[in-house]
Structures are given as C-alpha cells and as structure tokens.
Amino acid sequence: MTTDAVNAGFMAPGGKSWLREWLFTVDHKRIGMLYLWCITAFFVVGVFLGLLLRLELFWPGRDFIGQQTYNAVFTLHGVIMIFIVVIPSIPAAFGNIFLPLQLGAEDVAFPKLNMFSFWLYVIGGATALASLFSGGGAPDTGWTFYVPFSAVTTTNVSVAVAGVFILGFSSILTGLNFIVTIHRLRAPGLTWTRLTLFAWALYATAWIQVLATPILSITVILIIVERLLGMGIFDPARGGDPILYQHLFWIYSHPAVYIMILPAMGVVSDIIPVFCRKSIFGYKTIVGSSLAIAFAGSLVWAHHMFVSGMSDTAVMVFSFLTFIVAVPSAVKVFNWLSTMYKGSIRLEPPLVFALGFIFLFAMGGITGLVLGSAGTDMHVHDTYFVVGHFHYVIFGGTGFGMFAAIHYWFPKMYGRMYNRRMATTAALILIVGLNGLYFPMYLLGLEGMPRRYYDYLPQFTSLHQLSTYGSWITFAGLALMLYNLIHSRYRGAPVGRNPWKAATLEWTLPSPPPTHNFDTEPVVTHGPYDFSEVRDDDGA
Amino acid sequence: MTEHRDYLGAKMGMWIFLFTEILLFGGLFVLYSVTLGRYPTEFHEASKLLDVTMGTTNTMVLITSSLFAALSVVGLRKGSRKVAKTCIFLTLTLACCFLVIKYFEWSHKIHAGIYPGGGTLTQWEPGKQAFFSLYYTMTGLHGLHVILGMGVFLWVWTRIAVGTCTPEHFVALENAGLYWHLVDLIWIYLFPLYYLIT
Ligand code: HEM
Ligand SMILES: [Cu+2]
C-alpha cells in the first residue's frame, strides 16, 4: 500500500505553509498530535539520562561521571520526566485528540486557548532545558527544589523553576479547557452517565490541575523571589521556615501524582471492556472512585514529610489519611478484574499493556502503603525503596497507560495498524525489564541504600548491577516499541473506522478523522460500553 | 467556519481561572497566618511602620476603579461603546494612581533601609523581618496583577475599538471586569492584614 491510498483526514498536508499551519493550528487533534510528538521526544531524552545514571551506578565509586554531574543529571531527569513528560502525557496528548471526539463535539471549548497552552508548554520546556546551558550550570537540587539548598546553590535553579512555572500555567489552562468542554459541549443524549470513563478520568484530573497547580506556581515564585531578592521567607534566621516550603511543595506535588495516574486509569477503563466484549463492571463506582481519589488525594501531602520534624499528631493524621486514599484505587483494580471475569477476552496489544499497567501499578501501590505508614516510612524514607516505588507507579502506571493509549488509538490517529506480534513482544520485554530495573531497588532500599548518591558501599554492588541490566532490557523494549510504531505509521496496513469494534463515538468517524470531526451532530442513545449495536463490518 | 460562541462557557472558564488566582494568593495567605501565629507582637510592631493614610487612599482608589470597571460593562450592554471606553480609561487612570502611590510607599521604606537585606531591616528581630518579606512579596505580586489587569483592559479597549467586543458580545469586557474585581478584592484583604493589625 502506498501512503496516499490511506485517507489522510486531519493529518492531510495543507498548502505550502504546512509548518505554519501545524504550529498555529487550533484543531484539537493536531494540537494533541503536537503534544504527543514533543512528549515522545522529551521522553527519549529523559530515558537516556536515566540510562546514564544507571551506568554510573554499575560499579561503586566513580565510573565516568562525577558527583556534581550526577546530581545535575538526576535533577534534569526528574524535571523532564515529571513536569514535561508525565504530567502532560495522557491529558494533553490523548485528551486533546479524543475528548472532543468522545463527546461528539467539534472542538474543545476554547480552541485558541488550547493553542496558547501548547505554546506555553513548548516555551516552558525550552526554558527548563535552557537552565542546563546557561548561568551557573544545570540545577543540582533534585526535582523537588528543596530549600534551603535551592535558595543558595549557585547553579541555575531560577531559570529551571521559571520553566516549571510556565509548564504549570499550561497545565492549568488545559484543565480549565477540559472542564468547560465536558460541561458545555456534550452531544445531545450524552448524559453524565453515558460519558466514557476516559472522559470522567480527565474531568477529575482537570479539577486537580486547576486546584493544585496554583500552589506549585506560588511555590516556585517564592523560590525565585528568595534567590533573586533575598526575601528570606524560608530562612529561619530571618523569621522564615523551611518546613513551610515542603508543605507548599507537596500540597501540589502529591495531588500531582493523581494528575499522572488518573488519566492512565481512564485509558485502562476504556480499553478493558472493548477487549472483553463486556460492559464495564461498576461504572458508577469507577466514576466515584476517580472523584474520591481527586478529593482524598488532596489531603495526604504531608506523608512526604514524616521525618521532617512535624508533630506526632500530624504524622498520625496524615498516615491515616494516606491509607484512606488507597481504597478507591483498589476499588478500580477490582472493577477491572471483575469486568474481565467471564468476558470473551481478545489479547490484543492494548489489552496487554493494560494488564501490564494493572500488575505494575499494584506493585507500586502496595509499597505505597509501606511508605504511607509512618512507622515503616521512618526506615525507608529517602532510600532506593522510594525510587523503586515511584518508578513502578509512574513508569509502570502512567508510562504503561500512555503505551496502552498509543496502541489503542494508533489505528484511529494514523489510519494504519502496527505489527501486533511485535507490539506484544515489546510489552512483555518492558514488563520484564521494569521488574529487573526497579525490583532490586526495593531490596536496596530495605538494606539502607540512600537515594541520590553516585557512589555506594560494595555490598550493594550486585543489586545495583541487576538494576542496570534491567535498564538495558527496558531500553530494548522501548526501542522495539518505538520502531514498530514509527515503521507502521508509514508502512502499516490500512484500517477502517473501527478495528477494535469499540462502541464509543470516536470509532464512528473515519480513520484518521476529518478536520471537522462529525458531519452531523451525533445523537447518543446508549452508554459507551454497550456493544450490541456495533456491526461486524464496522472494522472495514 | 463560524466562530463558536458560548456565553456560559466563557463565563465558566473565567470563574475557574479566577479561582486559580485565589489559590495562588491563598498559598501566601497561609504563609502569612502561620508567621503571624508565630510572631504576633513583632507583626504588631512592624505594622505600625506602614503608612495607613497612603494605604487607605490606595484602597479608595482601587475600589473606585472597580466601580468604573463595572460601569464600563453596564455602558456597553446598554449599547454605548463610548461610555464603555471612557469608563475603561478612568479605570486605567486610577490603576496608574494606585501604582504611583505604591511606588512612593515602597521607595520611602527602601530609602530607610527597610527591605530584605537592607541595613535597617537586618538589624531587627526575625519576626519583623518576616513581616516585611511577606509584605513585599504579597503587595509586589498584587502590584503585578494590577499591571496584568491593566493589560487586559487595554486589550479589551482595542477590541471595542475595532468592533469585536460589542453590545451583543460583551463577554470579553465582562471577564476583564471580573478579573479587575478580583484584583480589588485581594487588595481589600491585604490592606487590613498589613496596615491595620496594630
Ligand atoms: C529507562 C528508564 C529509566 C531509568 C533507567 C531511570 C533511572 C533513574 C535513576 C537511576 C534515578 C536516580 C535515583 C536516585 O539517585 O535517587 C531516577 C530518578 C527519578 N526518575 Fe527515573 N528512570 C527511568 C524512567 C523514568 C520515568 C519514565 C520517569 C517518570 C515517569 C522517571 C522519573 C524519575 C524521577 C521523578 C526521579 C527522581 C529524581 C530525584 O530523586 O530527585 N524515571 N531514575
Ligand atoms: Cu504523596
């Protein structure tokens, strides 16, 4: 098949100025694609930095990068992965492309604002990267920018946090846009209980973006003020308090982990019914648990500060609240498993990634309870146990959610199918690789290996080496997956509207969808997981 | 493609945005209350050093500007672009007055060495230093919002001039007015917290 045999839809090259047409597009699908490509590019950079860290840790002592470089590399790795990759990942890329389609809408509520937030994203990302090459060198504070160190280090922290501020603003505007879109632009008949679970997840996420991100903004503004004007707001000698910084930081950053994970849960909730040909079990419980996570997740921030010198009462309260927030996450896992029970399961790549998500997310979530109970946290705080935990959750969780989304919607976005065997193989390699990479970190942490060190005691060598081998397997999996996707984007077999025979609105459109989405406004008569009306020839 | 107009959607978006602004300042208000709880007497002492007359004048100036902002919306909705533009002009003039008064207040203090790192302030107790770091941060950020709000009004002014903001589609002006009221409202909290807690 040649390229032009496939309907090009919104991807169709425009006139001469196609670059301008793309960069200043207000079409939500194109904006989503731009995000997807940028995020992928940044992800690749972040992965290389991670591999570099693992390589340095292969032997104890200095192998080839010194401590200052190591500090800069893990800071940059964290900043890129958290603020530029994971937080925007699913909402900004797939949310932009598919939310309006799932709602039967022509676009998001504020298309120009959407373009503006994409540009803020690009500018913010560029600013964060610029901190590498200008001023006093790459920041070395870790992605948390803890004071007092961040207030006094001579490295380029101000520029990096300015980038984070801009990225945060972009995130707020995306969330705001989605909330209004979901409230105002649902097609006739699309009641709240007929909304896809992906849309519901984005809705809950959007509220966290809107309500939590301003606190991050003010926190980073304060760092800048502290550094440039010497305000002393966090300096005890001048009446300030560094613990207040940690509170402000985590009031945003704990909810932020739900910005990272809820959309992935939404993707998985959309995928599982399609590949089990069964309506989702407990639709309303899943919706309720998304909202409950968004709400309860805002109350637990101080579990990052058990050893910072809070009062014992505060430690107990936050420990208790942390346990409560685990409940709605577990509820979702039960719902997914119950949906699969007695379903007619087709083990296609999106489902394989979704199952990988459930497994890896559970591995990370359970250790979250170890960290959430103050007693055990005292022991493993700031060790590799934490590093293992959050990687299982964000790489195994959000990362796999992202991969599942790519494999689920790829045929819709490009009108072509990838090699399914290769996709499944990549998924399995990744699951093996991730366990190899991060499970040893749990053991290292339990044995007392602290995080953020470029050197370690000789007795940790074998576990560190195991982890580094794991990083290579992970890399192989990522490379295979990317190769498959990029190759198939040009050479894959063309597909019709609905290769998975799903029942949500985006699959009623041609693949790729036309610029104006729906010719006539769709009227919705049934829920998103009612497959009785999906016809067999829809796939063609 | 006809431009999609959704009055309710636009208002909803603006309200949510205003809420994020409140949260942004909310972080600072939390810092303020924690620090006040820690140094009640020092805050009391430090507050005496601020000029209540200037603060009060500025409060009046800002409230009046808010009134004109509201009148500009009323004017436009009643069909008069001229009234709307005049009222915006008055709002902007008063906003300038606010900034000028602020400038004099700040420069007095700075000349006297009362600023973070300044000769006088560093001699004082930590509590007083905390008061002034918060004072400069919060009123400074508020001042920045005044400038942003002025920019928004200028933008709406040009939209009225070129006829994209009209008596039928006035939501841009209405949202600008809402933003201005928020800036005003935040000042109404800052004023007693810094000038009147003696
Ligand atoms: C091949 C993939 C990856 C490898 C080999 C890797 C490896 C590492 C290593 C060795 C550290 C340093 C730990 C320390 O010294 O404390 C680290 C930190 C971190 N990584 Fe990754 N990582 C990978 C992917 C990811 C992904 C996908 C994310 C986000 C979803 C991520 C987010 C983070 C964060 C937030 C930190 C914390 C930085 C800090 O401690 O301040 N990483 N990673
Ligand atoms: Cu947390």
CSV table of all heavy atoms in Angstrom, one decimal, chain A residues 258-305:
chain,number,residue,atom,x,y,z
A,258,TYR,N,-1.7,12.2,41.2
A,258,TYR,CA,-3.0,11.7,40.6
A,258,TYR,C,-3.3,12.4,39.3
A,258,TYR,O,-4.0,11.8,38.5
A,258,TYR,CB,-4.1,12.0,41.6
A,258,TYR,CG,-3.8,11.3,42.9
A,258,TYR,CD1,-3.5,11.9,44.1
A,258,TYR,CD2,-3.9,9.9,42.9
A,258,TYR,CE1,-3.1,11.2,45.2
A,258,TYR,CE2,-3.5,9.2,44.0
A,258,TYR,CZ,-3.2,9.8,45.2
A,258,TYR,OH,-2.8,9.1,46.3
A,259,ILE,N,-2.7,13.6,39.0
A,259,ILE,CA,-2.7,14.1,37.6
A,259,ILE,C,-2.0,13.1,36.7
A,259,ILE,O,-2.4,12.9,35.6
A,259,ILE,CB,-2.1,15.5,37.6
A,259,ILE,CG1,-2.7,16.5,38.5
A,259,ILE,CG2,-2.0,15.9,36.1
A,259,ILE,CD1,-2.1,17.9,38.4
A,260,MET,N,-1.0,12.4,37.3
A,260,MET,CA,-0.3,11.5,36.4
A,260,MET,C,-1.0,10.2,36.3
A,260,MET,O,-1.0,9.6,35.2
A,260,MET,CB,1.1,11.2,37.1
A,260,MET,CG,1.9,12.4,37.4
A,260,MET,SD,3.5,12.0,38.2
A,260,MET,CE,3.9,13.5,39.1
A,261,ILE,N,-1.7,9.7,37.3
A,261,ILE,CA,-2.2,8.3,37.3
A,261,ILE,C,-3.7,8.2,36.8
A,261,ILE,O,-4.0,7.3,36.2
A,261,ILE,CB,-2.0,7.6,38.6
A,261,ILE,CG1,-2.0,6.1,38.4
A,261,ILE,CG2,-3.0,8.0,39.7
A,261,ILE,CD1,-0.8,5.6,37.7
A,262,LEU,N,-4.5,9.2,37.2
A,262,LEU,CA,-5.9,9.1,36.9
A,262,LEU,C,-6.2,9.0,35.4
A,262,LEU,O,-7.0,8.1,35.0
A,262,LEU,CB,-6.7,10.3,37.4
A,262,LEU,CG,-7.1,10.2,38.9
A,262,LEU,CD1,-7.7,11.5,39.4
A,262,LEU,CD2,-8.2,9.1,39.0
A,263,PRO,N,-5.6,9.8,34.5
A,263,PRO,CA,-5.8,9.6,33.1
A,263,PRO,C,-5.5,8.2,32.6
A,263,PRO,O,-6.1,7.6,31.8
A,263,PRO,CB,-4.9,10.6,32.4
A,263,PRO,CG,-4.7,11.6,33.5
A,263,PRO,CD,-4.6,10.9,34.8
A,264,ALA,N,-4.4,7.6,33.1
A,264,ALA,CA,-4.0,6.3,32.7
A,264,ALA,C,-5.1,5.3,33.2
A,264,ALA,O,-5.4,4.4,32.4
A,264,ALA,CB,-2.6,5.9,33.4
A,265,MET,N,-5.6,5.5,34.3
A,265,MET,CA,-6.7,4.6,34.8
A,265,MET,C,-7.9,4.8,33.9
A,265,MET,O,-8.6,3.8,33.6
A,265,MET,CB,-7.1,5.0,36.2
A,265,MET,CG,-6.1,4.7,37.2
A,265,MET,SD,-6.5,5.4,38.8
A,265,MET,CE,-5.7,4.2,39.9
A,266,GLY,N,-8.1,6.0,33.4
A,266,GLY,CA,-9.2,6.2,32.4
A,266,GLY,C,-9.0,5.4,31.2
A,266,GLY,O,-9.9,4.8,30.6
A,267,VAL,N,-7.8,5.4,30.7
A,267,VAL,CA,-7.5,4.7,29.4
A,267,VAL,C,-7.7,3.2,29.6
A,267,VAL,O,-8.4,2.6,28.8
A,267,VAL,CB,-6.0,4.9,29.0
A,267,VAL,CG1,-5.6,4.0,27.9
A,267,VAL,CG2,-5.7,6.4,28.6
A,268,VAL,N,-7.2,2.7,30.8
A,268,VAL,CA,-7.4,1.3,31.0
A,268,VAL,C,-8.9,0.9,31.2
A,268,VAL,O,-9.4,-0.1,30.7
A,268,VAL,CB,-6.6,0.9,32.3
A,268,VAL,CG1,-7.0,-0.5,32.8
A,268,VAL,CG2,-5.1,1.0,32.0
A,269,SER,N,-9.7,1.8,31.8
A,269,SER,CA,-11.1,1.6,31.9
A,269,SER,C,-11.8,1.6,30.6
A,269,SER,O,-12.8,0.9,30.4
A,269,SER,CB,-11.8,2.6,32.8
A,269,SER,OG,-11.1,2.7,34.0
A,270,ASP,N,-11.3,2.3,29.6
A,270,ASP,CA,-11.9,2.3,28.3
A,270,ASP,C,-11.5,1.1,27.5
A,270,ASP,O,-12.2,0.6,26.7
A,270,ASP,CB,-11.4,3.6,27.5
A,270,ASP,CG,-12.5,4.6,27.5
A,270,ASP,OD1,-13.4,4.5,28.4
A,270,ASP,OD2,-12.5,5.5,26.6
A,271,ILE,N,-10.3,0.6,27.7
A,271,ILE,CA,-9.7,-0.5,26.9
A,271,ILE,C,-10.3,-1.8,27.4
A,271,ILE,O,-10.7,-2.7,26.5
A,271,ILE,CB,-8.2,-0.5,27.0
A,271,ILE,CG1,-7.6,0.6,26.2
A,271,ILE,CG2,-7.6,-1.9,26.5
A,271,ILE,CD1,-6.1,0.7,26.3
A,272,ILE,N,-10.4,-2.1,28.7
A,272,ILE,CA,-10.8,-3.4,29.1
A,272,ILE,C,-12.1,-3.9,28.6
A,272,ILE,O,-12.2,-5.0,28.1
A,272,ILE,CB,-10.6,-3.5,30.7
A,272,ILE,CG1,-9.1,-3.5,31.0
A,272,ILE,CG2,-11.3,-4.7,31.2
A,272,ILE,CD1,-8.8,-3.7,32.4
A,273,PRO,N,-13.2,-3.0,28.7
A,273,PRO,CA,-14.5,-3.5,28.2
A,273,PRO,C,-14.4,-3.9,26.7
A,273,PRO,O,-15.0,-4.9,26.2
A,273,PRO,CB,-15.4,-2.4,28.4
A,273,PRO,CG,-14.8,-1.5,29.3
A,273,PRO,CD,-13.3,-1.7,29.2
A,274,VAL,N,-13.6,-3.1,25.9
A,274,VAL,CA,-13.6,-3.4,24.4
A,274,VAL,C,-13.0,-4.7,24.1
A,274,VAL,O,-13.5,-5.4,23.3
A,274,VAL,CB,-12.8,-2.2,23.7
A,274,VAL,CG1,-12.6,-2.6,22.3
A,274,VAL,CG2,-13.5,-0.9,23.9
A,275,PHE,N,-12.0,-5.1,24.9
A,275,PHE,CA,-11.3,-6.4,24.5
A,275,PHE,C,-11.8,-7.5,25.4
A,275,PHE,O,-11.3,-8.6,25.3
A,275,PHE,CB,-9.8,-6.2,24.7
A,275,PHE,CG,-9.2,-5.2,23.7
A,275,PHE,CD1,-9.1,-3.9,24.1
A,275,PHE,CD2,-8.9,-5.7,22.4
A,275,PHE,CE1,-8.6,-3.0,23.1
A,275,PHE,CE2,-8.4,-4.8,21.5
A,275,PHE,CZ,-8.3,-3.4,21.9
A,276,CYS,N,-12.9,-7.3,26.2
A,276,CYS,CA,-13.6,-8.4,26.8
A,276,CYS,C,-15.0,-8.5,26.4
A,276,CYS,O,-15.7,-9.3,26.8
A,276,CYS,CB,-13.5,-8.2,28.3
A,276,CYS,SG,-11.9,-8.1,29.0
A,277,ARG,N,-15.4,-7.6,25.4
A,277,ARG,CA,-16.8,-7.5,24.9
A,277,ARG,C,-17.8,-7.6,26.1
A,277,ARG,O,-18.7,-8.4,26.0
A,277,ARG,CB,-17.0,-8.6,23.9
A,277,ARG,CG,-16.1,-8.8,22.9
A,277,ARG,CD,-16.2,-8.1,21.6
A,277,ARG,NE,-17.2,-7.3,21.1
A,277,ARG,CZ,-17.0,-6.0,20.7
A,277,ARG,NH1,-15.8,-5.5,20.8
A,277,ARG,NH2,-17.9,-5.3,20.2
A,278,LYS,N,-17.5,-6.8,27.0
A,278,LYS,CA,-18.4,-6.8,28.2
A,278,LYS,C,-18.5,-5.4,28.7
A,278,LYS,O,-17.5,-4.7,28.7
A,278,LYS,CB,-17.9,-7.7,29.3
A,278,LYS,CG,-18.8,-8.9,29.6
A,278,LYS,CD,-18.1,-9.7,30.7
A,278,LYS,CE,-18.7,-9.4,32.0
A,278,LYS,NZ,-17.8,-9.8,33.1
A,279,SER,N,-19.7,-5.0,29.2
A,279,SER,CA,-19.8,-3.7,29.7
A,279,SER,C,-19.0,-3.6,31.0
A,279,SER,O,-18.7,-4.6,31.6
A,279,SER,CB,-21.3,-3.4,30.1
A,279,SER,OG,-21.4,-2.0,30.5
A,280,ILE,N,-18.4,-2.4,31.3
A,280,ILE,CA,-17.5,-2.3,32.4
A,280,ILE,C,-18.3,-2.7,33.7
A,280,ILE,O,-19.5,-2.3,33.8
A,280,ILE,CB,-16.9,-0.9,32.5
A,280,ILE,CG1,-15.8,-0.8,33.6
A,280,ILE,CG2,-18.0,0.1,32.8
A,280,ILE,CD1,-14.5,-1.0,33.1
A,281,PHE,N,-17.7,-3.4,34.6
A,281,PHE,CA,-18.3,-3.7,35.9
A,281,PHE,C,-18.2,-2.5,36.8
A,281,PHE,O,-17.1,-2.0,37.1
A,281,PHE,CB,-17.6,-4.9,36.5
A,281,PHE,CG,-18.2,-5.3,37.8
A,281,PHE,CD1,-19.3,-6.2,37.9
A,281,PHE,CD2,-17.6,-4.9,39.0
A,281,PHE,CE1,-19.8,-6.5,39.1
A,281,PHE,CE2,-18.1,-5.2,40.2
A,281,PHE,CZ,-19.2,-6.1,40.3
A,282,GLY,N,-19.4,-2.0,37.3
A,282,GLY,CA,-19.4,-1.0,38.3
A,282,GLY,C,-19.0,0.4,37.7
A,282,GLY,O,-18.1,1.1,38.2
A,283,TYR,N,-19.7,0.8,36.6
A,283,TYR,CA,-19.4,2.1,36.0
A,283,TYR,C,-19.4,3.2,37.0
A,283,TYR,O,-18.5,4.0,37.2
A,283,TYR,CB,-20.4,2.4,34.9
A,283,TYR,CG,-20.3,3.7,34.3
A,283,TYR,CD1,-19.6,3.9,33.1
A,283,TYR,CD2,-21.0,4.8,34.8
A,283,TYR,CE1,-19.5,5.1,32.5
A,283,TYR,CE2,-20.9,6.1,34.2
A,283,TYR,CZ,-20.2,6.2,33.0
A,283,TYR,OH,-20.1,7.4,32.4
A,284,LYS,N,-20.4,3.3,37.8
A,284,LYS,CA,-20.6,4.4,38.8
A,284,LYS,C,-19.5,4.3,39.9
A,284,LYS,O,-19.1,5.4,40.4
A,284,LYS,CB,-22.0,4.4,39.4
A,284,LYS,CG,-22.9,5.0,38.3
A,284,LYS,CD,-24.3,5.2,38.9
A,284,LYS,CE,-25.2,5.7,37.8
A,284,LYS,NZ,-26.6,5.3,38.0
A,285,THR,N,-19.1,3.1,40.3
A,285,THR,CA,-18.1,3.0,41.3
A,285,THR,C,-16.8,3.6,40.7
A,285,THR,O,-16.0,4.2,41.5
A,285,THR,CB,-17.8,1.6,41.7
A,285,THR,OG1,-18.8,0.7,41.2
A,285,THR,CG2,-17.8,1.4,43.2
A,286,ILE,N,-16.5,3.3,39.4
A,286,ILE,CA,-15.2,3.8,38.9
A,286,ILE,C,-15.3,5.3,38.8
A,286,ILE,O,-14.3,6.0,39.2
A,286,ILE,CB,-15.0,3.2,37.5
A,286,ILE,CG1,-14.8,1.7,37.6
A,286,ILE,CG2,-13.8,3.8,36.8
A,286,ILE,CD1,-14.3,1.0,36.4
A,287,VAL,N,-16.4,5.9,38.4
A,287,VAL,CA,-16.5,7.3,38.4
A,287,VAL,C,-16.3,7.9,39.8
A,287,VAL,O,-15.5,8.8,40.0
A,287,VAL,CB,-17.9,7.7,37.8
A,287,VAL,CG1,-18.1,9.2,38.0
A,287,VAL,CG2,-18.0,7.4,36.4
A,288,GLY,N,-17.0,7.2,40.7
A,288,GLY,CA,-17.0,7.7,42.1
A,288,GLY,C,-15.6,7.6,42.6
A,288,GLY,O,-15.1,8.5,43.3
A,289,SER,N,-14.9,6.5,42.3
A,289,SER,CA,-13.5,6.4,42.9
A,289,SER,C,-12.6,7.4,42.2
A,289,SER,O,-11.7,7.9,42.9
A,289,SER,CB,-13.0,5.0,42.7
A,289,SER,OG,-13.0,4.6,41.4
A,290,SER,N,-12.8,7.8,40.9
A,290,SER,CA,-12.0,8.8,40.4
A,290,SER,C,-12.1,10.1,41.1
A,290,SER,O,-11.1,10.8,41.5
A,290,SER,CB,-12.3,9.1,38.9
A,290,SER,OG,-12.0,8.0,38.1
A,291,LEU,N,-13.4,10.5,41.4
A,291,LEU,CA,-13.6,11.7,42.1
A,291,LEU,C,-13.1,11.6,43.5
A,291,LEU,O,-12.5,12.6,44.1
A,291,LEU,CB,-15.1,12.1,42.1
A,291,LEU,CG,-15.7,12.3,40.7
A,291,LEU,CD1,-17.2,12.5,40.7
A,291,LEU,CD2,-15.0,13.5,40.0
A,292,ALA,N,-13.3,10.4,44.1
A,292,ALA,CA,-12.8,10.2,45.5
A,292,ALA,C,-11.3,10.4,45.6
A,292,ALA,O,-10.7,11.0,46.5
A,292,ALA,CB,-13.2,8.9,46.1
A,293,ILE,N,-10.6,9.8,44.6
A,293,ILE,CA,-9.1,9.9,44.5
A,293,ILE,C,-8.7,11.4,44.4
A,293,ILE,O,-7.9,11.9,45.1
A,293,ILE,CB,-8.5,9.1,43.4
A,293,ILE,CG1,-8.6,7.6,43.7
A,293,ILE,CG2,-7.1,9.5,43.1
A,293,ILE,CD1,-8.2,6.7,42.5
A,294,ALA,N,-9.5,12.1,43.5
A,294,ALA,CA,-9.1,13.5,43.4
A,294,ALA,C,-9.3,14.3,44.7
A,294,ALA,O,-8.5,15.1,45.0
A,294,ALA,CB,-10.0,14.1,42.3
A,295,PHE,N,-10.4,13.9,45.4
A,295,PHE,CA,-10.6,14.7,46.6
A,295,PHE,C,-9.7,14.2,47.8
A,295,PHE,O,-9.0,15.0,48.3
A,295,PHE,CB,-12.1,14.5,47.0
A,295,PHE,CG,-12.4,15.0,48.4
A,295,PHE,CD1,-12.5,16.4,48.5
A,295,PHE,CD2,-12.6,14.2,49.5
A,295,PHE,CE1,-12.7,17.0,49.8
A,295,PHE,CE2,-12.9,14.8,50.7
A,295,PHE,CZ,-12.9,16.2,50.9
A,296,ALA,N,-9.7,12.9,48.0
A,296,ALA,CA,-8.9,12.4,49.2
A,296,ALA,C,-7.4,12.6,48.9
A,296,ALA,O,-6.6,12.9,49.8
A,296,ALA,CB,-9.2,10.9,49.4
A,297,GLY,N,-7.0,12.6,47.6
A,297,GLY,CA,-5.6,12.8,47.3
A,297,GLY,C,-5.1,14.1,47.7
A,297,GLY,O,-3.9,14.4,47.8
A,298,SER,N,-6.0,15.1,47.8
A,298,SER,CA,-5.6,16.4,48.2
A,298,SER,C,-5.3,16.6,49.7
A,298,SER,O,-4.9,17.6,50.1
A,298,SER,CB,-6.6,17.5,47.8
A,298,SER,OG,-7.1,17.2,46.5
A,299,LEU,N,-5.6,15.5,50.4
A,299,LEU,CA,-5.5,15.7,51.9
A,299,LEU,C,-4.3,15.0,52.5
A,299,LEU,O,-4.2,14.9,53.7
A,299,LEU,CB,-6.8,15.1,52.5
A,299,LEU,CG,-8.1,15.7,52.0
A,299,LEU,CD1,-9.2,15.0,52.7
A,299,LEU,CD2,-8.1,17.2,52.4
A,300,VAL,N,-3.4,14.4,51.7
A,300,VAL,CA,-2.4,13.5,52.2
A,300,VAL,C,-1.0,13.9,52.0
A,300,VAL,O,0.0,13.2,52.2
A,300,VAL,CB,-2.6,12.1,51.6
A,300,VAL,CG1,-4.0,11.5,51.9
A,300,VAL,CG2,-2.3,12.1,50.1
A,301,TRP,N,-0.8,15.2,51.6
A,301,TRP,CA,0.5,15.6,51.1
A,301,TRP,C,1.6,15.4,52.1
A,301,TRP,O,2.7,15.1,51.7
A,301,TRP,CB,0.5,17.1,50.7
A,301,TRP,CG,0.4,18.0,51.8
A,301,TRP,CD1,1.4,18.6,52.5
A,301,TRP,CD2,-0.8,18.6,52.4
A,301,TRP,NE1,1.0,19.4,53.5
A,301,TRP,CE2,-0.4,19.4,53.5
A,301,TRP,CE3,-2.2,18.4,52.2
A,301,TRP,CZ2,-1.3,20.1,54.3
A,301,TRP,CZ3,-3.0,19.1,53.0
A,301,TRP,CH2,-2.6,19.9,54.1
A,302,ALA,N,1.3,15.5,53.4
A,302,ALA,CA,2.4,15.5,54.4
A,302,ALA,C,3.0,14.2,54.6
A,302,ALA,O,3.9,14.0,55.4
A,302,ALA,CB,1.9,16.2,55.7
A,303,HIS,N,2.5,13.1,53.9
A,303,HIS,CA,3.2,11.8,54.1
A,303,HIS,C,4.6,11.8,53.4
A,303,HIS,O,5.3,10.9,53.6
A,303,HIS,CB,2.3,10.7,53.5
A,303,HIS,CG,2.0,10.7,52.1
A,303,HIS,ND1,0.9,10.1,51.5
A,303,HIS,CD2,2.6,11.3,51.0
A,303,HIS,CE1,0.9,10.3,50.2
A,303,HIS,NE2,1.9,11.1,49.9
A,304,HIS,N,4.9,12.9,52.8
A,304,HIS,CA,6.3,13.0,52.3
A,304,HIS,C,7.2,13.6,53.3
A,304,HIS,O,8.4,13.8,53.1
A,304,HIS,CB,6.3,13.9,51.0
A,304,HIS,CG,5.6,13.3,49.9
A,304,HIS,ND1,6.1,12.4,49.0
A,304,HIS,CD2,4.3,13.4,49.5
A,304,HIS,CE1,5.2,12.0,48.1
A,304,HIS,NE2,4.1,12.6,48.4
A,305,MET,N,6.6,14.0,54.5
A,305,MET,CA,7.3,14.8,55.4
A,305,MET,C,7.4,14.2,56.8
A,305,MET,O,7.6,14.9,57.8
A,305,MET,CB,6.7,16.2,55.5
A,305,MET,CG,6.7,16.9,54.2
A,305,MET,SD,5.5,18.3,54.2
A,305,MET,CE,6.2,19.2,55.5
